């Protein structure tokens, strides 16, 4: 019998469900792995230790690097591909001009909502990149990377619109062996299975109040709710027209801020307005983005994002404008030049936004007491923009360890007021280490889905883990009991099911039927064991899943689950239905080897 292997669902050695793919590329006979690995690390951020197999199996080693590169590119495109995959077999053919053609048959993470041709394009692109590197084609490589960014990475990122925070959260789930599944809208995912399951969209979670989310989306409504609860927020007014603007500006007094009430990312915001001409110009610019414009008192200080999941503090960050950091040696002009040169060395999709040296930057530099020829002190930030903005690419300084406990309590009160589980409270305050009521701190806005990093800037894994822990996903996982064999296996599983259902909501299924925790038949539209399991894994009532495998259908469908709590090999008398000739013993061995378990014979 030919070697058999699983090519769908969960397979041994990988944490994500898989699909098959063939990879083809051309290589030189001799490969400079030192240069290749240096470029993969410096330009693409791939610092994987690949081992020492380059002498014995150089082309296999080359395929591994290609798979890692393709996985990284997909993450930057917003696709949750967190492992390179698995090489099933490869062959090398000689070609003209002393080159080799390498063809590899691989298993890679499966994303059901992404067309297989789109996925293949990433592996073709990775092959082209590796090919240009080993052929030492520097100029062609630069042009190729620009093309890949525009036609593939950015195109897919814009097409699927998966929020930035989703990828690092799913990555943390993957590292902690928490299964995830895409559901709908290209941005809603299920974390965990059964009773432990939660839905997330970006960092928002299924327990967030829909009314709280709506209120948080409007800055003016947010301020009304805060004032009603006697919580600190800047004085502001909603503007009806330009005449109303001038009237309310007089009431509030300069300096002022103009901002749309219903926009994000600091769009349309103008701060520190000190005269009527600037005020009217800022109002006109904001009107081009929204018809709900606010005028608000301008307050000194930095915006500090306090991110919570339930009442657990995830992080505190201080948002500063786009800046360069001094080293005590170089001028501002030189620092800007070096910063842009360092970014230019990276692959285009990994670069930060450019560090500007335009008239606006020069003005901000002068406002900070410098000019282009000044030499800032070491670690001193020199702003290139007047206010922080994600659109401009600001600086984020993590200051979780210095926040005063009273400011945490304030954020927790706001979270509960808005009935939100996942929230980011923006506190405008001069010194986060002091209580808000001593330094006139004010709540600037509420974010029901706080930013938790992205593929380029994942920030800290520890608060992603705190997020998962707060949802109960790290402490408990769905127990799955697997029985293998003929009718005897079904009878043993039924006996176990009958024993546990008085104490827990256990579901029992095989390739023909499913029984719920009441001992009654469970109906769904599934047609085979794989689909029955899919239905149950989405059922938030389920506390235990009992699966009985009695046929080799899994060779066609794969498995919808992994990591069983207990594997019970009752006998090897499973029914053989697969189209390929099969040896029953080898099929059962493949089945048992696929699971890490407490095996019971």
């Amino acid at each position: 019998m030919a070697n058999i292997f699983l090519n769908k669902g969960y397979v041994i050695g990988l944490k994500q469900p898989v699909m098959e793919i063939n990879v083809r590329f051309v290589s030189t006979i001799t490969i400079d792995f030192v240069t290749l690995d240096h470029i993969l690390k410096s330009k693409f951020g791939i610092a994987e230790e690949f081992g020492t197999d380059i002498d014995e199996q150089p082309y296999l080693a080359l395929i591994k690097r290609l798979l890692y590169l393709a996985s990284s590119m997909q993450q930057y495109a917003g696709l949750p591909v967190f492992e390179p995959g698995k090489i099933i077999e490869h062959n090398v053919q000689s070609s003209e001009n002393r080159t080799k053609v390498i063809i590899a048959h691989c298993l890679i993470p499966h994303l059901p909502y992404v067309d297989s041709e789109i996925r293949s394009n990433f592996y073709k692109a990775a092959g082209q990149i590796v090919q240009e590197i080993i052929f030492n084609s520097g100029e062609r490589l630069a042009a190729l990377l620009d093309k890949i960014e525009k036609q593939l990475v950015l195109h897919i990122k814009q097409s699927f619109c998966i929020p930035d925070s989703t990828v690092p959260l799913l990555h943390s789930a993957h590292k902690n062996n928490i299964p995830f599944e895409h559901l709908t809208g290209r941005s809603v995912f299920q974390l965990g299975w059964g009773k432990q399951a939660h839905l997330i969209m970006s960092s928002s979670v299924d327990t967030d109040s829909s009314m709280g989310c709506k209120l948080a989306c409007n800055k003016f409504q947010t301020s009304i709710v805060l004032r009603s609860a006697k919580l600190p927020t800047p004085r502001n007014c909603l503007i009806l027209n330009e005449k109303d603007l001038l009237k309310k500006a007089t009431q509030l007094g300069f300096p002022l801020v103009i901002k749309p009430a219903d926009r994000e990312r600091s769009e349309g915001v103008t701060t520190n307005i000190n005269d009527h001409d600037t005020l009217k110009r800022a109002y006109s610019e904001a009107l081009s983005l929204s018809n709900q414009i606010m005028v608000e008192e301008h307050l000194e200080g930095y915006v500090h994002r306090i991110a919570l999941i339930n009442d657990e503090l995830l992080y505190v960050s201080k948002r500063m404008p786009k800046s360069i950091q001094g080293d005590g040696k170089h001028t501002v002009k030189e620092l800007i030049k070096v910063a842009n040169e360092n970014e230019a060395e990276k692959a285009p999709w990994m670069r930060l936004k450019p560090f500007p040296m335009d008239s606006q930057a020069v003005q901000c530099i002068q406002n900070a007491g410098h000019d282009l020829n000044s030499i800032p002190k070491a670690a001193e930030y020199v702003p290139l923009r007047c206010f922080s903005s994600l659109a401009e690419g600001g600086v984020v300084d993590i200051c979780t360890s210095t926040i005063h406990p009273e400011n945490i309590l304030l954020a927790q009160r706001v979270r509960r007021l808005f009935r939100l589980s996942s929230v980011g409270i923006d506190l405008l305050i001069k010194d986060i280490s002091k209580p808000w009521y001593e330094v006139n701190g004010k709540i600037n806005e509420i974010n029901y889905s706080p930013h938790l990093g992205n593929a380029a800037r994942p920030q800290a894994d520890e608060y992603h883990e705190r997020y998962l822990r707060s949802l109960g996903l790290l402490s408990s996982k769905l127990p799955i009991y697997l029985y293998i064999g003929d009718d005897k296996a079904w009878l043993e599983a039924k006996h176990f099911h009958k024993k546990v259902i008085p104490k827990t909501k256990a579901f029992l299924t095989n390739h023909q039927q499913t029984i719920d925790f009441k001992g009654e038949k469970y109906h769904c539209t599934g047609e085979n064991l794989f689909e029955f399991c899919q239905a149950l894994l989405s059922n938030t009532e389920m506390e235990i899943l009992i699966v009985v495998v009695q046929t080799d259908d899994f060779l066609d469908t794969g498995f919808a689950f992994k990591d069983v709590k207990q594997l019970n090999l009752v006998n090897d008398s499973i029914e053989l239905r697969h189209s390929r000739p099969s040896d029953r013993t080898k099929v059962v061995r493949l089945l048992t080897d696929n699971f890490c378990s407490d095996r019971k014979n």
Side-chain angles (χ1 to χ4, degrees), residues 497-535:
H497 180 248
K498 186 176 181 180
K499 179 181 176 181
V500 297
I501 54 175
K503 297 179 288 184
T504 187
K505 293 181 179 180
F507 287 70
L508 168 66
T509 188
N510 68 357
H511 65 285
Q512 290 181 320
Q513 60 182 311
T514 298
I515 300 175
D516 68 14
F517 60 91
K518 298 175 183 177
E520 299 174 356
K521 191 168 183 178
Y522 182 84
H523 297 278
C524 70
T525 59
E527 297 181 351
N528 53 49
L529 180 60
F530 182 92
E531 293 180 356
F532 293 159
C533 289
Q534 276 188 316

Side-chain angles (χ1 to χ4, degrees), residues 203 304-317 400 403 408 411-412 415 421-427 447 449-452 459 463 466-467:
S203 66
H304 290 74
R305 169 67 56 85
I306 306 172
L308 303 172
I309 178 70
N310 296 318
D311 272 345
E312 184 168 1
L313 180 66
L314 294 178
Y315 68 86
V316 182
S317 65
T400 309
I403 185 172
I408 298 175
Q412 291 170 339
R415 183 198 71 79
S421 296
S422 175
V423 66
I425 289 96
D426 285 355
L427 181 63
N447 297 270
S449 182
H451 192 258
L452 297 182
Q459 299 177 18
Y463 63 70
R466 284 200 293 270
Y467 179 98

Side-chain angles (χ1 to χ4, degrees), residues 217 318 394 415 433 492 594:
C217 283
K318 180 167 68 174
R415 183 198 71 79
S433 67
E492 286 195 19
N594 197 57

Side-chain angles (χ1 to χ4, degrees), residues 232 402-410 427-442:
T402 59
I403 185 172
H404 194 280
E406 285 290 338
N407 297 332
I408 298 175
L409 289 173
L410 173 65
L427 181 63
L428 185 61
I429 192 169
K430 293 179 180 179
D431 187 347
I432 195 68
S433 67
K434 296 181 179 178
W436 61 270
Y437 48 80
E438 290 185 3
V439 290
N440 197 34
K442 303 286 177 118

Side-chain angles (χ1 to χ4, degrees), residues 74-189:
Q74 289 173 91
Q75 288 184 46
Y76 278 92
L79 301 180
V81 177
F82 303 126
E83 46 197 353
K86 190 173 186 178
I87 302 168
I88 301 300
E89 59 185 2
H90 77 288
N91 63 75
V92 182
Q93 303 169 359
S94 297
S95 183
E96 299 176 358
N97 302 323
R98 294 177 57 80
T99 60
K100 298 286 187 179
V101 177
I102 304 166
I103 302 173
H105 182 204
C106 308
L107 298 179
I108 61 170
H110 180 41
L111 305 178
Y113 59 98
V114 183
D115 186 82
S116 59
E117 184 176 349
I118 292 175
R119 301 292 309 286
S120 295
N121 287 338
F122 281 97
Y123 294 87
K124 290 177 184 176
Q128 292 171 339
I129 292 170
V130 170
Q131 186 173 308
E132 295 297 347
I133 294 173
I134 61 180
F135 279 96
N136 197 25
S137 304
E139 291 185 4
R140 289 208 309 246
L141 176 61
L144 174 63
L145 295 182
D146 287 338
K147 179 181 178 182
I148 289 172
E149 183 197 27
K150 294 173 185 175
Q151 297 184 4
L152 185 59
V153 177
L154 291 182
H155 173 68
I156 297 305
K157 188 175 181 65
Q158 293 164 359
S159 297
F160 287 90
C161 299
I162 294 178
D164 280 347
S165 293
T166 301
V167 171
L169 272 175
L170 296 179
H171 198 177
S172 184
H174 173 263
K175 285 189 288 187
N176 285 282
N177 208 26
I178 299 169
F180 62 85
E181 180 183 359
H182 169 259
L183 292 184
T184 185
R186 295 178 176 166
S187 59
V188 179
F189 286 81

